[in-house]
Amino acid sequence: LNLSGNTPKTPKILNVLALLLGPRFSTDVVIVETSDHARLSLKLSYNWFFEIDKKNQDQAALLFSVPDFIGDFCKAIASRVRGSVASQSFDHFHKYSADLIRKAVFGADEAGNIRNRFHFKSNNLIITNIDIQSVEPVDQRTRDALQKSVQLAIEITTKSQEATARHEAERREQEAKGRLERQKIDDESEAEKSRKHLLSLQAASAAVESTGTASAEAKARAEAAKIEGESNVTNAKLKAEAQSTKASVQLKILQNEQHTEIAHKCAWNTLEIKKAEELSGIEAQKFKSIVDAIGADTLKRISRAGPEMQAKLLSGLGLKSFMITDGNHPINLFNTAAGLIGNNMSGKGNNEW
């Protein structure tokens, strides 16, 4: 096999008798140009191997389908890198060169993540990694500008670090001064608290000294008042007990009187009932004696004497019946019983009143 070799790759440099399946690596130099016309030389190193099934003769035959596979995949990768770099500015490519080159060669999935392999289906060659060894401008002016830019970036970084260090030193100094001032204020506050406590103790001592006698007298008066109050409470309790005893005795006397009076009333009522029963018996016996003495026939004749006399008087007057009324209460004779009017009118024709 005649394979490309050297760096950058030159066709038909290597003459080999055996094809190594890898993994191995190859290095190449690719000239690219950015969108702002900056020409750069990229030195790239590729890791590769052949992914085949050794028992499959068809796959083994694909290994020799591409005579110079090294030159072929180097040209394919270089083409992808040049196309991606051509759409980027120099500053952007200088900052994100690794991601841009890997994305250009391996591509990205739907989530935007860069893949980790590049598969050549013609001979089952797999590119697994790309290492960017160097990025150098081709044009001398661009190289000088880049060097100046790098120096300027270094100076800016150095000044930024110096400013950061200076600001940090100033900040620490201010913090130290603040802690010192705070400690001073805390010390003064503690001293003032101690002075205040001392003054309060002195005032309390003077108050105790000046009010010792008054306090003792006040305690004595309070103790005397307490004893007097306890004595009054004891007397009140004794009086209350005496009143309670007196009330209990009076209540018992009143209950006894009421019981005696109730017993007397009951006896009196019993005698009255007995007396009334005896009187009613006497009256009944008296009435019976009178009735027995007069006789039943006599009483019957006495009870019939009045009506028979009235009937005789009416028959003497020629009246069979009569009714007495006044002008304020007239009688409707048409609504009376038919026997009182109808029978008399049909029998005699004229009423006699």
Tab-separated table of all heavy atoms in Angstrom, residues 46-53 59 62-63 65-66 69 72-74 76-77 80 102-108 115-130:
chain	number	residue	atom	x	y	z
A	46	TYR	N	-4.977	13.156	14.982
A	46	TYR	CA	-6.208	12.370	14.986
A	46	TYR	C	-5.936	10.977	15.543
A	46	TYR	O	-4.948	10.334	15.175
A	46	TYR	CB	-6.770	12.228	13.568
A	46	TYR	CG	-6.757	13.502	12.756
A	46	TYR	CD1	-5.987	13.592	11.593
A	46	TYR	CD2	-7.509	14.603	13.149
A	46	TYR	CE1	-5.969	14.751	10.846
A	46	TYR	CE2	-7.501	15.766	12.399
A	46	TYR	CZ	-6.729	15.841	11.254
A	46	TYR	OH	-6.712	16.995	10.510
A	47	ASN	N	-6.821	10.490	16.395
A	47	ASN	CA	-6.791	9.097	16.850
A	47	ASN	C	-7.793	8.294	16.029
A	47	ASN	O	-8.937	8.722	15.856
A	47	ASN	CB	-7.167	9.009	18.339
A	47	ASN	CG	-6.143	9.666	19.227
A	47	ASN	OD1	-6.220	10.857	19.498
A	47	ASN	ND2	-5.164	8.914	19.673
A	48	TRP	N	-7.341	7.121	15.490
A	48	TRP	CA	-8.212	6.345	14.617
A	48	TRP	C	-7.987	4.854	14.795
A	48	TRP	O	-6.971	4.417	15.336
A	48	TRP	CB	-7.985	6.717	13.142
A	48	TRP	CG	-6.558	6.554	12.682
A	48	TRP	CD1	-5.586	7.495	12.699
A	48	TRP	CD2	-5.971	5.357	12.165
A	48	TRP	NE1	-4.410	6.994	12.219
A	48	TRP	CE2	-4.623	5.668	11.876
A	48	TRP	CE3	-6.430	4.079	11.904
A	48	TRP	CZ2	-3.731	4.736	11.351
A	48	TRP	CZ3	-5.556	3.139	11.375
A	48	TRP	CH2	-4.231	3.471	11.114
A	49	PHE	N	-9.021	4.090	14.351
A	49	PHE	CA	-8.907	2.627	14.288
A	49	PHE	C	-9.975	2.118	13.328
A	49	PHE	O	-10.914	2.848	12.964
A	49	PHE	CB	-9.074	1.994	15.673
A	49	PHE	CG	-10.481	2.050	16.209
A	49	PHE	CD1	-11.362	0.980	16.069
A	49	PHE	CD2	-10.947	3.200	16.849
A	49	PHE	CE1	-12.643	1.043	16.563
A	49	PHE	CE2	-12.235	3.267	17.334
A	49	PHE	CZ	-13.093	2.189	17.193
A	50	PHE	N	-9.782	0.845	12.892
A	50	PHE	CA	-10.755	0.202	12.014
A	50	PHE	C	-11.699	-0.668	12.859
A	50	PHE	O	-11.243	-1.490	13.659
A	50	PHE	CB	-10.051	-0.678	10.968
A	50	PHE	CG	-9.365	0.101	9.900
A	50	PHE	CD1	-7.990	0.316	9.938
A	50	PHE	CD2	-10.107	0.643	8.845
A	50	PHE	CE1	-7.367	1.050	8.957
A	50	PHE	CE2	-9.464	1.362	7.844
A	50	PHE	CZ	-8.096	1.576	7.902
A	51	GLU	N	-13.010	-0.447	12.677
A	51	GLU	CA	-14.018	-1.197	13.423
A	51	GLU	C	-14.599	-2.267	12.492
A	51	GLU	O	-15.465	-1.990	11.662
A	51	GLU	CB	-15.126	-0.271	13.925
A	51	GLU	CG	-16.128	-0.960	14.842
A	51	GLU	CD	-17.173	0.013	15.353
A	51	GLU	OE1	-17.686	0.814	14.520
A	51	GLU	OE2	-17.472	0.013	16.548
A	52	ILE	N	-14.092	-3.512	12.614
A	52	ILE	CA	-14.536	-4.596	11.742
A	52	ILE	C	-14.697	-5.864	12.556
A	52	ILE	O	-14.183	-5.983	13.684
A	52	ILE	CB	-13.526	-4.857	10.590
A	52	ILE	CG1	-12.196	-5.335	11.178
A	52	ILE	CG2	-13.357	-3.628	9.718
A	52	ILE	CD1	-11.238	-5.854	10.134
A	53	ASP	N	-15.441	-6.798	12.001
A	53	ASP	CA	-15.566	-8.146	12.551
A	53	ASP	C	-14.578	-9.039	11.797
A	53	ASP	O	-14.703	-9.229	10.575
A	53	ASP	CB	-17.004	-8.642	12.397
A	53	ASP	CG	-17.217	-10.001	13.050
A	53	ASP	OD1	-16.255	-10.518	13.682
A	53	ASP	OD2	-18.342	-10.547	12.933
A	59	GLN	N	-16.502	-7.413	5.434
A	59	GLN	CA	-15.943	-6.257	6.136
A	59	GLN	C	-14.427	-6.197	5.993
A	59	GLN	O	-13.847	-5.103	5.889
A	59	GLN	CB	-16.339	-6.302	7.621
A	59	GLN	CG	-17.818	-6.079	7.878
A	59	GLN	CD	-18.131	-6.001	9.358
A	59	GLN	OE1	-17.210	-6.063	10.178
A	59	GLN	NE2	-19.421	-5.855	9.678
A	62	LEU	N	-13.496	-4.538	2.832
A	62	LEU	CA	-13.677	-3.079	2.790
A	62	LEU	C	-12.424	-2.331	3.231
A	62	LEU	O	-12.252	-1.153	2.903
A	62	LEU	CB	-14.858	-2.670	3.684
A	62	LEU	CG	-16.257	-3.075	3.193
A	62	LEU	CD1	-17.301	-2.694	4.226
A	62	LEU	CD2	-16.562	-2.399	1.849
A	63	LEU	N	-11.512	-2.990	3.945
A	63	LEU	CA	-10.300	-2.304	4.413
A	63	LEU	C	-9.467	-1.808	3.246
A	63	LEU	O	-8.787	-0.771	3.344
A	63	LEU	CB	-9.467	-3.253	5.284
A	63	LEU	CG	-10.102	-3.684	6.622
A	63	LEU	CD1	-9.206	-4.716	7.301
A	63	LEU	CD2	-10.278	-2.477	7.528
A	65	SER	N	-10.674	-1.023	0.240
A	65	SER	CA	-11.470	-0.309	-0.764
A	65	SER	C	-10.945	1.102	-0.992
A	65	SER	O	-11.207	1.699	-2.034
A	65	SER	CB	-12.935	-0.284	-0.335
A	65	SER	OG	-13.067	0.425	0.903
A	66	VAL	N	-10.244	1.689	-0.007
A	66	VAL	CA	-9.659	3.028	-0.141
A	66	VAL	C	-8.142	2.851	-0.110
A	66	VAL	O	-7.579	2.499	0.942
A	66	VAL	CB	-10.124	3.961	0.992
A	66	VAL	CG1	-9.500	5.347	0.835
A	66	VAL	CG2	-11.647	4.048	1.017
A	69	PHE	N	-6.071	5.564	2.728
A	69	PHE	CA	-7.122	5.981	3.669
A	69	PHE	C	-6.645	7.144	4.547
A	69	PHE	O	-7.428	7.965	4.975
A	69	PHE	CB	-7.578	4.790	4.529
A	69	PHE	CG	-6.557	4.316	5.533
A	69	PHE	CD1	-6.524	4.814	6.828
A	69	PHE	CD2	-5.605	3.365	5.175
A	69	PHE	CE1	-5.592	4.359	7.727
A	69	PHE	CE2	-4.670	2.916	6.073
A	69	PHE	CZ	-4.650	3.410	7.375
A	72	ASP	N	-7.033	10.268	2.603
A	72	ASP	CA	-8.466	10.496	2.391
A	72	ASP	C	-9.112	11.109	3.621
A	72	ASP	O	-9.814	12.121	3.523
A	72	ASP	CB	-9.125	9.170	2.029
A	72	ASP	CG	-10.589	9.352	1.692
A	72	ASP	OD1	-10.886	9.971	0.658
A	72	ASP	OD2	-11.461	8.888	2.489
A	73	PHE	N	-8.889	10.512	4.829
A	73	PHE	CA	-9.596	11.070	5.997
A	73	PHE	C	-8.970	12.400	6.423
A	73	PHE	O	-9.648	13.261	6.971
A	73	PHE	CB	-9.651	10.055	7.151
A	73	PHE	CG	-8.417	9.917	7.983
A	73	PHE	CD1	-8.019	10.904	8.888
A	73	PHE	CD2	-7.637	8.778	7.909
A	73	PHE	CE1	-6.903	10.756	9.666
A	73	PHE	CE2	-6.514	8.624	8.685
A	73	PHE	CZ	-6.131	9.617	9.567
A	74	CYS	N	-7.664	12.622	6.161
A	74	CYS	CA	-7.065	13.927	6.477
A	74	CYS	C	-7.676	15.025	5.604
A	74	CYS	O	-7.959	16.137	6.076
A	74	CYS	CB	-5.551	13.882	6.288
A	74	CYS	SG	-4.686	12.956	7.582
A	76	ALA	N	-10.682	14.905	4.214
A	76	ALA	CA	-12.081	15.079	4.611
A	76	ALA	C	-12.191	15.946	5.862
A	76	ALA	O	-13.023	16.864	5.950
A	76	ALA	CB	-12.730	13.718	4.849
A	77	ILE	N	-11.327	15.668	6.858
A	77	ILE	CA	-11.368	16.455	8.103
A	77	ILE	C	-10.935	17.890	7.829
A	77	ILE	O	-11.524	18.855	8.350
A	77	ILE	CB	-10.489	15.787	9.174
A	77	ILE	CG1	-11.108	14.452	9.584
A	77	ILE	CG2	-10.328	16.693	10.378
A	77	ILE	CD1	-10.250	13.651	10.558
A	80	ARG	N	-13.755	19.898	6.375
A	80	ARG	CA	-14.759	20.293	7.368
A	80	ARG	C	-14.244	21.431	8.255
A	80	ARG	O	-14.974	22.371	8.562
A	80	ARG	CB	-15.128	19.094	8.245
A	80	ARG	CG	-15.930	18.024	7.512
A	80	ARG	CD	-16.519	17.030	8.488
A	80	ARG	NE	-17.421	16.119	7.817
A	80	ARG	CZ	-18.405	15.460	8.424
A	80	ARG	NH1	-18.589	15.606	9.726
A	80	ARG	NH2	-19.192	14.641	7.749
A	102	ARG	N	-13.918	20.393	16.923
A	102	ARG	CA	-14.544	19.111	17.265
A	102	ARG	C	-15.976	19.037	16.741
A	102	ARG	O	-16.423	18.008	16.248
A	102	ARG	CB	-14.532	18.912	18.789
A	102	ARG	CG	-13.136	18.662	19.336
A	102	ARG	CD	-13.168	18.524	20.853
A	102	ARG	NE	-14.025	17.413	21.252
A	102	ARG	CZ	-13.648	16.152	21.314
A	102	ARG	NH1	-12.394	15.822	20.996
A	102	ARG	NH2	-14.473	15.198	21.665
A	103	LYS	N	-16.719	20.170	16.858
A	103	LYS	CA	-18.095	20.175	16.360
A	103	LYS	C	-18.119	20.062	14.841
A	103	LYS	O	-19.017	19.422	14.269
A	103	LYS	CB	-18.799	21.441	16.825
A	103	LYS	CG	-20.287	21.469	16.517
A	103	LYS	CD	-20.941	22.689	17.135
A	103	LYS	CE	-22.454	22.684	16.863
A	103	LYS	NZ	-23.114	23.870	17.448
A	104	ALA	N	-17.153	20.695	14.164
A	104	ALA	CA	-17.110	20.624	12.700
A	104	ALA	C	-16.830	19.204	12.233
A	104	ALA	O	-17.366	18.756	11.215
A	104	ALA	CB	-16.047	21.583	12.169
A	105	VAL	N	-15.999	18.467	12.961
A	105	VAL	CA	-15.618	17.119	12.527
A	105	VAL	C	-16.634	16.083	12.987
A	105	VAL	O	-17.145	15.285	12.193
A	105	VAL	CB	-14.214	16.766	13.053
A	105	VAL	CG1	-13.851	15.326	12.707
A	105	VAL	CG2	-13.185	17.723	12.468
A	106	PHE	N	-16.974	16.073	14.259
A	106	PHE	CA	-17.845	15.033	14.812
A	106	PHE	C	-19.334	15.355	14.676
A	106	PHE	O	-20.163	14.453	14.697
A	106	PHE	CB	-17.523	14.806	16.289
A	106	PHE	CG	-16.142	14.277	16.523
A	106	PHE	CD1	-15.305	14.826	17.484
A	106	PHE	CD2	-15.659	13.211	15.776
A	106	PHE	CE1	-14.042	14.332	17.707
A	106	PHE	CE2	-14.383	12.707	15.990
A	106	PHE	CZ	-13.563	13.266	16.952
A	107	GLY	N	-19.680	16.639	14.568
A	107	GLY	CA	-21.086	17.023	14.514
A	107	GLY	C	-21.709	17.050	15.912
A	107	GLY	O	-21.056	16.776	16.924
A	108	ALA	N	-22.993	17.372	15.971
A	108	ALA	CA	-23.717	17.476	17.247
A	108	ALA	C	-25.046	16.745	17.146
A	108	ALA	O	-25.616	16.609	16.056
A	108	ALA	CB	-23.946	18.938	17.635
A	115	ARG	N	-20.689	15.019	19.375
A	115	ARG	CA	-20.482	13.565	19.354
A	115	ARG	C	-19.012	13.241	19.578
A	115	ARG	O	-18.141	14.124	19.537
A	115	ARG	CB	-20.958	12.981	18.018
A	115	ARG	CG	-22.472	13.138	17.769
A	115	ARG	CD	-22.877	12.353	16.527
A	115	ARG	NE	-24.314	12.416	16.305
A	115	ARG	CZ	-24.935	13.317	15.554
A	115	ARG	NH1	-24.209	14.245	14.917
A	115	ARG	NH2	-26.243	13.295	15.410
A	116	ASN	N	-18.728	11.931	19.803
A	116	ASN	CA	-17.352	11.523	20.143
A	116	ASN	C	-16.700	10.632	19.089
A	116	ASN	O	-15.665	10.021	19.346
A	116	ASN	CB	-17.345	10.799	21.489
A	116	ASN	CG	-18.260	9.590	21.489
A	116	ASN	OD1	-18.849	9.263	20.458
A	116	ASN	ND2	-18.385	8.945	22.643
A	117	ARG	N	-17.266	10.540	17.866
A	117	ARG	CA	-16.649	9.701	16.824
A	117	ARG	C	-17.125	10.159	15.440
A	117	ARG	O	-18.192	10.734	15.294
A	117	ARG	CB	-16.962	8.224	17.039
A	117	ARG	CG	-18.442	7.920	17.125
A	117	ARG	CD	-18.675	6.484	17.613
A	117	ARG	NE	-18.258	5.530	16.593
A	117	ARG	CZ	-18.074	4.247	16.820
A	117	ARG	NH1	-18.171	3.774	18.047
A	117	ARG	NH2	-17.755	3.423	15.841
A	118	PHE	N	-16.228	9.884	14.427
A	118	PHE	CA	-16.511	10.201	13.037
A	118	PHE	C	-16.276	8.916	12.232
A	118	PHE	O	-15.165	8.400	12.183
A	118	PHE	CB	-15.604	11.337	12.563
A	118	PHE	CG	-15.825	11.740	11.134
A	118	PHE	CD1	-17.056	11.541	10.506
A	118	PHE	CD2	-14.801	12.327	10.394
A	118	PHE	CE1	-17.251	11.914	9.190
A	118	PHE	CE2	-14.989	12.708	9.082
A	118	PHE	CZ	-16.225	12.500	8.479
A	119	HIS	N	-17.350	8.399	11.606
A	119	HIS	CA	-17.317	7.082	10.962
A	119	HIS	C	-17.242	7.244	9.437
A	119	HIS	O	-18.102	7.917	8.845
A	119	HIS	CB	-18.573	6.289	11.368
A	119	HIS	CG	-18.605	4.917	10.793
A	119	HIS	ND1	-19.780	4.229	10.561
A	119	HIS	CD2	-17.600	4.083	10.379
A	119	HIS	CE1	-19.498	3.048	10.054
A	119	HIS	NE2	-18.176	2.938	9.934
A	120	PHE	N	-16.214	6.611	8.818
A	120	PHE	CA	-16.117	6.523	7.364
A	120	PHE	C	-16.703	5.167	6.948
A	120	PHE	O	-16.080	4.117	7.169
A	120	PHE	CB	-14.653	6.631	6.900
A	120	PHE	CG	-14.078	8.002	7.071
A	120	PHE	CD1	-13.457	8.345	8.257
A	120	PHE	CD2	-14.165	8.939	6.060
A	120	PHE	CE1	-12.920	9.608	8.423
A	120	PHE	CE2	-13.620	10.210	6.227
A	120	PHE	CZ	-13.003	10.548	7.404
A	121	LYS	N	-17.872	5.176	6.341
A	121	LYS	CA	-18.572	3.936	6.011
A	121	LYS	C	-17.903	3.163	4.869
A	121	LYS	O	-18.111	1.963	4.728
A	121	LYS	CB	-20.019	4.245	5.623
A	121	LYS	CG	-20.832	4.834	6.765
A	121	LYS	CD	-22.254	5.096	6.327
A	121	LYS	CE	-23.075	5.690	7.476
A	121	LYS	NZ	-24.478	5.950	7.079
A	122	SER	N	-17.098	3.829	4.051
A	122	SER	CA	-16.484	3.139	2.905
A	122	SER	C	-15.522	2.049	3.356
A	122	SER	O	-15.400	1.004	2.715
A	122	SER	CB	-15.763	4.156	2.015
A	122	SER	OG	-14.774	4.833	2.766
A	123	ASN	N	-14.777	2.268	4.456
A	123	ASN	CA	-13.822	1.261	4.934
A	123	ASN	C	-13.919	1.036	6.446
A	123	ASN	O	-13.001	0.476	7.040
A	123	ASN	CB	-12.396	1.662	4.557
A	123	ASN	CG	-12.030	3.029	5.126
A	123	ASN	OD1	-12.882	3.730	5.670
A	123	ASN	ND2	-10.772	3.396	4.963
A	124	ASN	N	-15.015	1.522	7.099
A	124	ASN	CA	-15.253	1.349	8.538
A	124	ASN	C	-14.130	1.956	9.389
A	124	ASN	O	-13.764	1.432	10.446
A	124	ASN	CB	-15.410	-0.133	8.902
A	124	ASN	CG	-16.719	-0.712	8.394
A	124	ASN	OD1	-17.733	-0.001	8.306
A	124	ASN	ND2	-16.717	-1.993	8.037
A	125	LEU	N	-13.579	3.091	8.934
A	125	LEU	CA	-12.582	3.813	9.715
A	125	LEU	C	-13.304	4.721	10.718
A	125	LEU	O	-14.248	5.430	10.362
A	125	LEU	CB	-11.686	4.641	8.785
A	125	LEU	CG	-10.629	5.491	9.475
A	125	LEU	CD1	-9.578	4.614	10.170
A	125	LEU	CD2	-9.944	6.427	8.465
A	126	ILE	N	-12.820	4.711	11.972
A	126	ILE	CA	-13.428	5.508	13.052
A	126	ILE	C	-12.396	6.505	13.564
A	126	ILE	O	-11.284	6.113	13.974
A	126	ILE	CB	-13.920	4.619	14.201
A	126	ILE	CG1	-14.873	3.529	13.699
A	126	ILE	CG2	-14.589	5.455	15.287
A	126	ILE	CD1	-16.150	4.066	13.086
A	127	ILE	N	-12.763	7.792	13.546
A	127	ILE	CA	-11.944	8.845	14.167
A	127	ILE	C	-12.524	9.092	15.550
A	127	ILE	O	-13.692	9.466	15.692
A	127	ILE	CB	-11.947	10.128	13.332
A	127	ILE	CG1	-11.560	9.833	11.869
A	127	ILE	CG2	-11.012	11.162	13.944
A	127	ILE	CD1	-10.180	9.268	11.703
A	128	THR	N	-11.716	8.918	16.604
A	128	THR	CA	-12.233	9.013	17.970
A	128	THR	C	-11.871	10.310	18.673
A	128	THR	O	-12.535	10.701	19.632
A	128	THR	CB	-11.715	7.838	18.812
A	128	THR	OG1	-10.280	7.865	18.812
A	128	THR	CG2	-12.193	6.515	18.227
A	129	ASN	N	-10.821	10.991	18.231
A	129	ASN	CA	-10.412	12.198	18.952
A	129	ASN	C	-9.599	13.099	18.039
A	129	ASN	O	-8.964	12.627	17.096
A	129	ASN	CB	-9.598	11.833	20.195
A	129	ASN	CG	-9.306	13.056	21.059
A	129	ASN	OD1	-10.111	13.980	21.116
A	129	ASN	ND2	-8.159	13.065	21.698
A	130	ILE	N	-9.630	14.410	18.334
A	130	ILE	CA	-8.834	15.397	17.599
A	130	ILE	C	-8.099	16.244	18.626
A	130	ILE	O	-8.731	16.830	19.519
A	130	ILE	CB	-9.713	16.295	16.710
A	130	ILE	CG1	-10.408	15.457	15.640
A	130	ILE	CG2	-8.873	17.387	16.069
A	130	ILE	CD1	-11.329	16.261	14.755
